[in-house]
Amino acid sequence: MKSAVETLNPTRVRLTVEVPFEELKDSLDAAYKKINQQVTVKGFRKGKIPARVIDQRFGRGAVLEEAVNDALPKFYTEAVNEAELNVLGQPEVDITELKDNETLNFTAEVDVRPAIEIPDYSGIEVEVDAIEVSDEDVDKAVEELRERFASTSPVERAAEDGDVVTIDLEAKVEGEVLEDGVASGVSYTIGSGELLEGIDDAVKGLEAGGEATFTSELKGGSAQGKEAEVTVKVTQVAARELPSLDDDFAQLASEFDTLDELKADSRKRLENMKQYDQATQAQERVLEKLLELVEVPVPEKLLADEIQTRTHNLEHHQLGQMGLDLDKYLEIQGKSREEFDAETKEQAEKGIKTQFVLDELVNKEKLNVNQEELTEHLMRRAQSSNMSPDQFAQAVVEGGQVPMLVGEVARGKALAVVVEAATVKDTNGEVVDLEDDEDETAETVEAAESAEEKTEA
């Protein structure tokens, strides 16, 4: 077999392959054997029909077609390996010449990973938010904890903001009560915004036994998106009582003995959260700078496939779970379809470029993934997928996705290398040392994945 490579553009090549006919022998034998098992000829046992009889009865062309279909993948793979190509997707194959007992010639056009030059990235500088936790931040965190320990008690007065009311609901569309538009004994905190728009104004001022009617757009159910006339009846009004902010509350809500200890712990937690956000911000901004330094051509078909995949996942998975279609989602977002398509294309292109650049860095820095790193990543992915580690691992193995997980970890490590070489300062001008973060590699894996997969949804 002889093969040659022609570069059509930075991301696509054409392979020209010439195969001497004798190299088709194994595929021809396999073709005769396969046809033998599929046909019957009077006077011959099944599977024992001579080749000359098959040629006479069914035509040599049928045998050649079967043999070529069997041989093409093997010769194509040999040509790819011989040229050391890093191909993407399936090739477009064209048989240019097939002469019986002489030769098989074909071409194969296929997308390839572009050659990428990684420049010196040690000069990258980014700015991130400073870690600042105010007394107001601490007070807000403690107040939120206090809200969780609130109690309620029935009162004989009109409902006010913050009260918990027990209500019955009935929704009508065009004068007809909906089958799924009736609910009884619903507990609702006035001002929470968790039910229908307009319900707060309707129930405020009502005592137990009071009733009101209002109009609202239904958020779900059989008449989702339609205007409905909703009747709400209050059966109970309960006031929320917050515990006193003292040492007794600290002992009730935490493992601490005093309120001061609880506040100190809240401050530390907030600082840790801001430190995590700061590290994530640094990684994302360093990646942005890195992508600006590298010229990365993107294969057109790969980009089109990625756009289609992202749009399909949004429509049929993310929006489907929320009971929305794409048109309704765009209406909520205040976007046109043209704006959505442009944003999706931009995100898909960035995701592809990110993967190409980080994969090239993995090769350049000779980064490997050990079993412990892969296991840790698998545990995180399992948690985000709401699956047990064993279930997720089984799904990964059965789906042949282990190389994909290895690639994710490797790209995260590559990004960590760039972040470590970069200069990161906060808005106060102080240099940020990210090396103290024990979860830095885990975070950079997530940052790399986020850049590849993030969509506005």
Side-chain angles (χ1 to χ4, degrees), residues 115-121 124 287-297 353 356-358 360-361:
I116 298 174
E117 290 293 330
I118 303 294
D120 180 15
Y121 47 78
I124 290 178
L287 179 59
E288 292 279 358
K289 291 282 189 179
L290 176 64
L291 293 180
E292 291 174 6
L293 295 175
V294 187
E295 185 69 29
V296 186
K353 288 182 177 180
F356 283 174
V357 170
L358 294 182
E360 185 62 30
L361 266 168

Side-chain angles (χ1 to χ4, degrees), residues 216-229:
S216 183
E217 181 180 309
L218 298 179
K219 295 181 179 180
S222 60
Q224 175 187 331
K226 293 184 178 180
E227 289 287 326
E229 182 183 85

